Amino acid sequence: MSVEALTLEGTLLRNHVLHQPRHVLFPGASQFSPGFGEASWRAAVRASNEHLIPRVLTLGFQAFRAGQVGDPAAYLQALLSSLQLQAGELAEDREVAAVVLQLGLAEALSPALLAQLLDAVPQHLRTVARPQVEVRLDAGSDITPAQLREVGCTRLNVIDRAGAPGPELLAQAQKAGFTACYYQLRVPASNDIGFLPRLHSVLALAPERILLPAPCASADSPSADYWLQAWVDICAAGYLPLGGDHYQRADCAMPVRRGDGVRHCDLAGVPRRDRSDFIGIGLGACSQIGDVICRQESDMSRWQSRLQSGHSGVVAGLIFSEHERLTDEVVQSIACDHSLDVAAFEWRNGLPFGECFEDALAELPALIEHGWLRWDGQVLHLQREGQLLWRIIAACFRSATAAA
């Protein structure tokens, strides 16, 4: 389908793709309570330690923004101190299965400093035999993929940027020996005439995954036409929706997606096979521990001061109420599986689905009429366009917190 056909036939789709809510998977930071502090965080970790399943962890190391830190070595030491403090509270049998180096960290720390950070993880926490280490790299970065592979990164995610040679960076990564390479699109601007040509170059390289844009960071004068055409071209190339914004190459193993609440998108936006705790480390980093979300200090001097006094640096957080926990379960099923098994929800929680989400159910008929959803018995399935607009469907269940 061409851009012209989308313009004529997909007016409704075009209007909605640019107006998707930002905070659907998780509440926005504005909803965190400053009354949630160190004691609450430690209580959440203790409660999580007592759960039998799952025991695995994901670590997410956050970069600092320009002007926040003058000395990268000092930032590394703060990361290491925070890692040690977090590890000291976690049960000894907790295992790190995945590490995410967030966008900007590879540029903020030299390869030698990154190597020290990654080497420190198994010194403080148990790791599975081969933990994944995903590094997110801006398309215009001067860091070479080979340098990142040498220090222990196993997966590389190139983040697209207008005017930057993202496809060339991806091609370098594919030659560097990563176990998987991804390419993540940003919201396209109307004046970015190179957006679709870059995407077509990426499709020719056939990375394991391509990620559609997320509305959390929009462009000036965003283009719905470019966004929709990218989705059409990705699907036409044989990529299949994996969950969230992730589309996976068809020859890669696809998980079973039942809509039963088992799979989970973590705070880094990665769909995983089950729900596990996510430990965020760094300035402004967020963590999810059980049904608790918290955020660390975003000022460097205050964060260092807290770390020196033996505190993790948590300054705000949110404890899910029972209804928020149920909502999270439903939203995660819609995001990760693009389906929702009502019978599985009722069996697991011992509650009638209709009474829990009466208002949300009243909104679904209009989406079904658009062709975005369909019921198959007690299973709600997102159709092709609904998979693109999963945030709008999920927001029916979290309407109070899904501020656009």
Side-chain angles (χ1 to χ4, degrees):
M1 184 182 295
S2 67
V3 170
E4 290 77 12
L6 282 167
T7 302
L8 293 172
E9 301 175 14
T11 301
L12 183 65
L13 206 56
R14 292 177 68 258
N15 289 340
H16 280 80
V17 74
L18 292 180
H19 297 91
Q20 298 180 73
R22 297 183 179 185
H23 303 298
V24 176
L25 268 175
F26 302 98
S30 62
Q31 295 183 272
F32 289 15
S33 169
F36 184 103
E38 192 72 19
S40 300
W41 169 75
R42 293 180 187 275
V45 174
R46 286 195 297 270
S48 180
N49 285 339
E50 294 172 359
H51 294 170
L52 294 179
I53 300 174
R55 307 304 291 167
V56 298
L57 302 165
T58 298
L59 298 182
F61 289 104
Q62 185 77 21
F64 56 84
R65 292 187 296 273
Q68 283 183 302
V69 179
D71 182 6
Y75 191 65
L76 171 65
Q77 290 306 312
L79 291 175
L80 295 176
S81 295
S82 183
L83 172 64
Q84 184 174 4
L85 287 167
Q86 302 260 13
E89 296 295 327
L90 292 162
E92 292 184 357
D93 65 337
R94 305 300 298 271
E95 289 187 319
V96 176
V99 176
V100 179
L101 305 181
Q102 300 284 21
L103 180 63
L105 192 64
E107 290 85 0
L109 301 181
S110 67
L113 296 182
L114 277 180
Q116 290 183 46
L117 179 61
L118 293 178
D119 288 345
V121 173
Q123 295 174 15
H124 297 294
L125 289 164
R126 290 177 56 179
T127 61
V128 299
R130 294 180 180 177
Q132 302 171 8
V133 180
E134 178 192 339
V135 56
R136 299 179 173 185
L137 196 63
D138 183 84
S141 177
D142 293 330
I143 305 298
T144 65
Q147 290 175 298
L148 298 173
R149 185 70 189 95
E150 287 176 2
V151 301
C153 299
T154 61
R155 301 188 179 194
L156 188 138
N157 187 355
V158 178
I159 314 298
D160 185 62
R161 181 158 60 85
E168 288 85 345
L169 193 63
L170 174 63
Q172 293 177 33
Q174 290 176 322
K175 296 176 181 178
F178 289 93
T179 59
C181 294
Y182 309 151
Y183 198 90
Q184 182 170 341
L185 301 174
R186 298 180 192 260
V187 176
S190 298
N191 62 356
D192 182 11
I193 60 174
F195 177 77
L196 291 175
R198 289 197 307 277
L199 172 61
H200 297 157
S201 296
V202 168
L203 290 172
L205 293 168
E208 283 80 1
R209 292 185 195 177
I210 299 178
L211 282 66
L212 287 175
C216 55
S218 185
D220 294 334
S221 184
S223 170
D225 287 338
Y226 287 162
W227 193 332
L228 288 176
Q229 190 63 54
W231 169 64
V232 169
D233 292 347
I234 290 168
C235 294
Y239 283 80
L240 302 174
L242 181 66
D245 300 314
H246 291 239
Y247 280 66
Q248 182 163 282
R249 208 174 59 204
D251 63 334
C252 298
M254 294 292 290
V256 177
R257 302 194 301 164
R258 301 185 180 89
D260 57 3
V262 175
R263 297 181 72 244
H264 184 78
C265 281
D266 63 24
L267 285 172
V270 179
R272 303 197 183 275
R273 64 183 180 184
D274 55 24
R275 178 171 174 171
S276 58
D277 289 340
F278 183 97
I279 307 297
I281 298 175
L283 286 175
C286 289
S287 299
Q288 182 175 25
I289 306 167
D291 294 324
V292 173
I293 298 179
C294 58
R295 177 175 56 81
Q296 289 193 325
E297 175 64 67
S298 57
D299 178 83
M300 182 65 180
S301 60
R302 290 198 294 267
W303 187 44
Q304 287 177 310
S305 178
R306 288 176 180 271
L307 293 174
Q308 290 168 3
S309 63
H311 293 175
S312 69
V314 169
V315 293
L318 177 68
I319 302 174
F320 285 172
S321 66
E322 178 62 11
H323 184 70
E324 287 168 336
R325 184 191 66 76
L326 297 173
T327 297
D328 181 67
E329 182 179 313
V330 170
V331 167
Q332 288 286 349
S333 290
I334 291 171
C336 281
D337 291 345
H338 292 164
S339 62
L340 172 63
D341 188 329
V342 170
F345 173 93
E346 293 183 334
W347 177 84
R348 187 166 45 251
N349 296 292
L351 296 169
F353 186 85
E355 292 183 12
C356 294
F357 299 106
E358 181 178 358
D359 292 341
L361 289 173
E363 296 186 49
L364 298 186
L367 304 180
I368 293 173
E369 186 177 346
H370 292 328
W372 299 347
L373 295 171
R374 70 174 175 85
W375 283 104
D376 180 10
Q378 287 191 286
V379 180
L380 183 68
H381 293 284
L382 276 63
Q383 301 299 87
R384 185 170 181 266
E385 292 81 2
Q387 293 171 0
L388 171 65
L389 301 175
W390 62 266
R391 287 180 173 84
I392 289 176
I393 296 164
C396 295
F397 297 88
R398 186 171 269 157
S399 56
T401 64

